[in-house]
Amino acid sequence: MGKLDGKVALVTGSGRGIGQAIAMKLASEGARLVVNDLDADPAHETVETLKKQGADAVACVGSVTAPDFAERFIKTAVDNYGGIDIVVNNAGYTWDDVLQKMTDEQWHAIIDCHLGAPFRILRAAYPVIKAKAQAEAAEGREVFRKVVNISSVSALNGNPGQMNYSTAKAGVIGMTRTLSREWGRLKVNVNAVAFGLIHTRMTTADAKAGATIKIEGRDIRVGVNPEIIKAHAQVTPLGRGGTPEEAAGSVYLFCSPESNYITGQTIAVAGGPQ
């Protein structure tokens, strides 16, 4: 018996990296998954991996910033599983530059991905969650649902070259606090995790080598300067960056029944205090 047996969990950006680790962790505790990725192959590969491990999962492929995505994402959960219990807004990327070099396109793309997309997904989820919560209340049952938004220590401390990303992730914290007040009456816990340096394809690539990934037709630089990673390890109390599995564990904490009386909170998952 898992602590999330029968729960329906939607995780954006779960075809790879941290999102995939989150999906795997929630599935290991019995959740049924709606997996999303920008690209079809990673999404379907993750679904197949989950199924091989005995989990129930379906894919909803596409960009979280597409105009029709939020409704399609929610509909996938309702059509396949009849409801929604957990929403993890994880999808994202960085497109860095210092303020004077940052374009409007860079600004709006990152704000929309990290802040606009979660807003639209949660708005689309509201009618489903409200109907379920009202029916459960009428039956005298108390059922908690979970929203976990992904923020960053860049929102807490700022980070040079990340005006767009830091601003979007700070907005996620405001969204989390506000929604916790609006949805508390529906028995929805709304919390956020602010990740520090987590070793994924976005960070382990060598920035000096000019590594890029393609996102919606754009070649986006990725990676962290190896000297920065070394310096980070020296000043971080735990002495290293985190793994996707450790990042997923923090999200799971906010999805578990033990978090039923915790809402509106942001915790830093960064190997030390921020």
Side-chain angles (χ1 to χ4, degrees):
M1 291 288 290
K3 291 189 175 183
L4 303 180
D5 274 354
K7 300 292 186 183
V8 180
L10 297 79
V11 185
T12 62
S14 49
R16 290 171 276 215
I18 294 172
Q20 184 185 63
I22 293 169
M24 296 292 185
K25 178 62 179 177
L26 300 185
S28 74
E29 290 292 334
R32 298 172 287 174
L33 269 297
V34 179
V35 172
N36 158 258
D37 198 90
L38 179 64
D39 302 314
D41 287 348
H44 291 301
E45 287 168 7
T46 297
V47 167
E48 289 308 309
T49 299
L50 287 167
K51 287 182 176 179
K52 287 177 182 177
Q53 295 177 356
D56 196 348
V58 295
C60 181
V61 177
S63 170
V64 295
T65 63
D68 68 336
F69 177 79
E71 286 73 19
R72 189 162 57 84
F73 194 40
I74 300 306
K75 188 174 186 297
T76 300
V78 173
D79 288 352
N80 284 274
Y81 302 125
I84 300 166
D85 297 291
I86 298 166
V87 178
V88 181
N89 285 305
N90 166 78
Y93 64 103
T94 57
W95 192 2
D96 297 348
D97 232 328
V98 291
L99 174 64
Q100 63 271 23
K101 294 182 180 180
M102 185 172 290
T103 66
D104 284 359
E105 182 185 14
Q106 280 176 280
W107 172 266
H108 290 298
I110 296 301
I111 295 293
D112 197 33
C113 178
H114 292 273
L115 195 55
F119 161 72
R120 291 187 291 271
I121 289 167
L122 295 168
R123 182 177 62 183
Y126 174 74
V128 178
I129 291 173
K130 178 184 177 183
K132 291 284 187 180
Q134 288 179 334
E136 289 152 1
E139 296 168 357
R141 296 192 295 129
E142 188 175 59
V143 178
F144 287 89
R145 289 179 171 81
K146 313 290 184 175
V147 171
V148 185
N149 296 318
I150 305 303
S151 184
S152 168
V153 295
S154 293
L156 305 177
N157 304 324
N159 197 32
Q162 290 193 325
M163 178 69 77
N164 50 4
Y165 183 74
S166 298
T167 300
K169 290 305 193 183
V172 165
I173 294 173
M175 175 187 290
T176 298
R177 290 174 176 168
T178 299
L179 195 62
S180 72
R181 295 180 182 277
E182 292 187 3
W183 283 13
R185 61 189 175 83
L186 300 177
K187 306 300 179 187
V188 181
N189 304 104
V190 187
N191 294 292
V193 294
F195 291 140
L197 178 62
I198 306 296
H199 293 304
T200 69
R201 69 182 180 129
M202 299 286 194
T203 58
T204 55
D206 186 348
K208 284 186 173 181
T212 63
I213 58 172
K214 191 169 286 294
I215 296 178
E216 297 186 336
R218 308 180 184 106
D219 288 317
I220 306 295
R221 292 173 310 186
V222 295
V224 178
N225 188 314
E227 285 123 18
I228 292 177
I229 292 180
K230 184 177 179 181
H232 173 271
Q234 291 173 340
V235 301
T236 299
L238 292 185
R240 60 174 176 81
T243 68
E245 291 72 26
E246 288 169 328
S250 68
V251 173
Y252 166 70
L253 291 176
F254 279 143
C255 295
S256 69
E258 284 79 2
S259 71
N260 284 355
Y261 200 62
I262 303 171
T263 196
Q265 302 303 307
T266 300
I267 61 167
V269 181
Q274 298 298 303

